[in-house]
């Protein structure tokens, strides 16, 4: 069953465009991972400081592998997170018909 991650990011004032550029890089890198099924980055039309990330992985272990990559550590944890006012991850199981 796919493991789903939804993350809400809210950028500090003046940092949204820089964050958007980094997240755009993360789309390409993350989608190339064997365990990544879906990786979408969305930016609010009403408030450009708000981002919504929607990700699906084959398993929680694949998500953990994603978080362990050098580019996640550098681009997200070391660069994007300090530019955020808030970061709220949520975890889901995908419900599909049998």
């Amino acid at each position: 069953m796919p493991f789903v991650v939804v993350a809400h990011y809210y950028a500090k004032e003046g940092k949204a465009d820089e964050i958007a550029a980094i997240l755009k890089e993360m789309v390409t890198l993350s989608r190339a991972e064997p365990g990544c099924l879906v990786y979408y980055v969305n930016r609010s039309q009403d408030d450009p400081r708000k981002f919504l990330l929607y990700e699906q992985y084959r398993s929680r272990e694949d998500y953990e592998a994603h978080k362990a990559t050098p580019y996640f550590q550098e681009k997200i944890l070391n660069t994007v997170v300090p530019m955020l006012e808030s970061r709220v991850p949520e975890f889901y199981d995908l419900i599909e018909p049998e």
Side-chain angles (χ1 to χ4, degrees):
M1 170 183 319
F3 180 75
V4 178
V5 180
V6 177
H8 301 268
Y9 287 5
Y10 195 69
K12 291 180 180 175
E13 190 68 45
K15 297 296 184 180
D17 289 341
E18 189 175 350
I19 290 170
I22 294 167
L23 293 176
K24 187 175 182 179
E25 293 176 33
M26 285 297 296
V27 170
T28 302
L29 293 166
S30 300
R31 287 182 181 172
E33 295 172 22
C36 181
L37 303 173
V38 171
Y39 194 98
Y40 293 119
V41 175
N42 306 274
R43 191 171 185 180
S44 172
Q45 293 180 356
D46 297 324
D47 184 349
R49 293 171 59 193
K50 290 171 99 173
F51 295 88
L52 173 79
L53 284 68
Y54 179 84
E55 308 166 41
Q56 286 184 6
Y57 298 88
R58 289 182 308 188
S59 65
R60 183 166 196 127
E61 291 77 21
D62 288 311
Y63 171 65
E64 296 299 331
H66 164 73
K67 292 192 322 180
T69 61
Y71 50 84
F72 181 89
Q73 297 292 314
E74 179 57 32
K75 293 179 183 296
I76 299 300
L77 294 183
N78 294 340
T79 306
V80 170
V81 170
M83 293 190 288
L84 297 175
E85 282 190 16
S86 65
R87 176 179 180 231
V88 180
E90 301 173 337
F91 307 102
Y92 298 88
D93 291 320
L94 185 64
I95 298 175
E96 295 187 295
E98 293 182 31

